[in-house]
Amino acid sequence: SSRKFLESVMDSEILSILCQQSRGKEDVQKHLNLLKERVLRVFKTLKVPTGKQSNLKNVLSFQVAQEQMLEKNETALVQLQEEINEAEKSAEHAEETMLSLQHDIQVLKSQLEEEEKKARKLFWDSETKELHLPELPKCSLQAPTLQEEILMVKNQKGLLEDMNTIQQSADMRNMLTFI
């Protein structure tokens, strides 16, 4: 059926060519018929796999499905590219932040080392390994203790009751808890 169909197509083409020719139709017709015979001989020797024509009908729907799949894949590819670009920007930002933080850490470490050196110079004597703290003012050593001041007060019992009330108060407990 395929050979017959091809033969009829070739005959119709030969007729259309002959209609267009005004001179030498016979020579052209002989030449075209010879070509047709050769082509048909070649077609007879060709081995074509037997297949159902329904497969040929499915080609169009398969092509449409493939085009739809291609469109979906292209949109997915665009979305993935956008996500990749966003991830790259995020990674670059994170790297810049990390470098900035590393720089800040180095600066703070150097400042800490300088402060520790200053503190060592201030408080430690390298030869005797003694801690040199600033001297207490003399007035603080001469100040009376709390016990001595309580003994000087005339109403000691009232003072003790007031101090007991203060120690038992909620404000004092909160302060002690805080401390």
Side-chain angles (χ1 to χ4, degrees), residues 170-179:
D171 291 335
M172 181 60 88
R173 287 187 199 144
N174 290 338
M175 185 180 71
L176 291 174
T177 304
F178 177 74
I179 291 174

Side-chain angles (χ1 to χ4, degrees), residues 12-122:
S12 67
E13 289 301 317
I14 290 173
L15 287 176
S16 69
I17 290 172
L18 289 176
C19 288
Q20 292 173 0
Q21 291 288 329
S22 58
R23 297 182 192 167
K25 287 184 181 182
E26 292 175 7
D27 292 335
V28 172
Q29 187 176 7
K30 286 180 187 177
H31 181 66
L32 290 174
N33 282 333
L34 287 174
L35 286 174
K36 179 179 111 177
E37 293 297 322
R38 277 194 217 161
V39 168
L40 288 176
R41 268 187 265 135
V42 171
F43 284 162
K44 286 180 184 177
T45 61
L46 287 177
K47 292 184 179 180
V48 179
T50 58
K52 297 179 182 176
Q53 290 186 356
S54 64
N55 289 343
L56 296 176
K57 293 177 184 176
N58 292 336
V59 169
L60 183 60
S61 63
F62 180 71
Q63 181 183 5
V64 169
Q66 289 297 322
E67 288 175 356
Q68 290 174 349
M69 182 77 84
L70 179 65
E71 289 176 14
K72 288 179 183 177
N73 288 341
E74 287 175 352
T75 55
L77 181 64
V78 168
Q79 288 176 344
L80 285 174
Q81 187 62 42
E82 290 173 358
E83 290 176 9
I84 288 171
N85 291 342
E86 289 177 16
E88 285 177 349
K89 288 178 184 176
S90 176
E92 287 174 2
H93 179 69
E95 187 174 342
E96 289 173 2
T97 304
M98 184 178 67
L99 290 174
S100 172
L101 289 174
Q102 285 177 346
H103 176 71
D104 292 346
I105 288 171
Q106 291 299 327
V107 168
L108 290 173
K109 279 183 180 180
S110 64
Q111 288 177 353
L112 178 64
E113 289 174 3
E114 289 175 13
E115 292 297 323
E116 285 177 347
K117 287 177 184 176
K118 288 179 185 177
R120 278 188 219 118
K121 288 178 184 177
L122 262 177

Side-chain angles (χ1 to χ4, degrees), residues 116-139:
E116 285 177 347
K117 287 177 184 176
K118 288 179 185 177
R120 278 188 219 118
K121 288 178 184 177
L122 262 177
F123 296 117
W124 290 99
D125 185 3
S126 60
E127 296 172 7
T128 61
K129 301 290 183 190
E130 292 178 2
L131 184 61
H132 293 287
L133 295 175
E135 288 187 28
L136 289 174
K138 291 181 181 179
C139 64

